[in-house]
């Protein structure tokens, strides 16, 4: 059986250099710190970091004995990792996608792979959208737009917003 993957998983189809948004970090990203603090990401379950960039969060989570794997269309391309997983994080991915349709598809795709919880983080520190000086795209959301985006993309679900720009979306 051949599995068909979305075309947007191929970075060669992107109209901007999204991979340039993958920042180097010395510690856990703020959204991942919040997810660990609230127990959404925990050692007893597996996390798939969708759009993990260079994988810094993965390295820091492993030091906390949290089982995790990462997929990134540019930096860590391994389609075998795209399997149903207890918890999925999609941190600062949605806001780098130029197409509104693709942003919705990415959220829906992550939701379909999620068994228990989906952690989503977006940029809320600016207004509007457009190209940055390095040629990447950024879509800035207000908190209300973020809530609406989730509701319109995956429907009525149990969602927690522990901090501006961060959502924990639960299946149960």
């Amino acid at each position: 059986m051949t599995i068909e993957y979305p075309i947007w998983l191929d970075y060669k189809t992107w109209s901007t250099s999204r991979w340039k948004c993958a920042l180097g970090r010395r510690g856990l990203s703020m959204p991942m710190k919040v997810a660990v603090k609230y127990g959404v990401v925990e050692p007893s379950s597996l996390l798939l970091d969708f759009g993990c960039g260079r994988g810094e969060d993965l390295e820091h989570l492993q030091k906390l004995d949290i089982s995790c794997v990462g997929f990134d269309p540019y930096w860590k391309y391994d389609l075998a990792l795209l399997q149903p997983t207890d918890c999925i994080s999609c941190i600062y991915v949605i806001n780098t996608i130029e197409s509104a349709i693709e942003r919705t598809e990415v959220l829906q795709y992550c939701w379909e792979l999620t068994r228990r919880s989906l952690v989503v983080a977006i940029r809320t520190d600016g207004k509007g959208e457009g190209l940055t000086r390095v040629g990447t795209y950024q879509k800035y959301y207000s908190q209300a737009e973020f809530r609406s985006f989730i509701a319109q993309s995956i429907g009525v679900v149990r969602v927690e917003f522990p901090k501006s720009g961060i959502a924990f979306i639960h299946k149960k």
Side-chain angles (χ1 to χ4, degrees):
M1 177 172 112
T2 303
I3 298 173
E4 287 193 38
Y5 294 98
I7 188 75
W8 41 259
L9 286 176
D10 180 356
Y11 74 89
K12 292 179 232 90
T13 66
W14 299 348
S15 59
T16 61
S17 306
R18 295 179 196 168
W19 58 88
K20 290 181 181 178
C21 295
L23 303 175
R25 292 190 174 92
R26 293 177 190 234
L28 276 177
S29 65
M30 186 270 298
M32 194 59 75
K33 285 180 189 173
V34 173
V36 170
K37 176 183 173 187
Y38 280 77
V40 176
V41 173
E42 57 189 3
S44 64
S45 59
L46 178 64
L47 168 80
L48 167 62
D49 187 355
F50 184 88
C52 67
R54 296 181 174 131
E56 281 90 353
D57 270 350
L58 298 170
E59 293 172 16
H60 296 292
L61 289 169
Q62 289 164 351
K63 291 175 186 173
L64 298 173
D65 291 325
I66 294 174
S67 299
C68 55
V69 294
F71 173 85
D72 189 275
Y74 185 82
W75 296 101
K76 295 189 178 290
Y77 190 80
D78 183 353
L79 292 173
L81 296 175
L82 299 178
Q83 301 291 324
T85 308
D86 297 326
C87 185
I88 295 181
S89 63
C90 185
I91 294 176
Y92 303 133
V93 171
I94 300 293
N95 52 280
T96 67
I97 300 171
E98 313 83 34
S99 162
I101 292 169
E102 187 177 330
R103 288 192 292 271
T104 298
E105 288 176 355
V106 168
L107 186 64
Q108 290 170 340
Y109 187 79
C110 289
W111 181 242
E112 287 177 25
L113 289 178
T114 301
R115 285 190 189 129
R116 185 176 45 87
S117 298
L118 172 60
V119 177
V120 181
I122 50 89
R123 300 281 304 268
T124 58
D125 54 351
K127 295 182 179 174
E129 59 188 284
L131 291 177
T132 66
R133 61 180 163 70
V134 295
T136 61
Y137 172 85
Q138 285 294 319
K139 161 86 171 129
Y140 298 98
Y141 290 81
S142 69
Q143 191 65 22
E145 288 173 317
F146 186 35
R147 287 175 186 269
S148 178
F149 170 69
I150 291 170
Q152 290 174 4
S153 298
I154 57 179
V156 179
V157 293
R158 198 176 115 217
V159 184
E160 295 176 81
F161 295 93
K163 203 166 175 147
S164 180
I166 301 174
F168 301 153
I169 311 169
H170 305 288
K171 288 224 169 166
K172 298 174 184 176

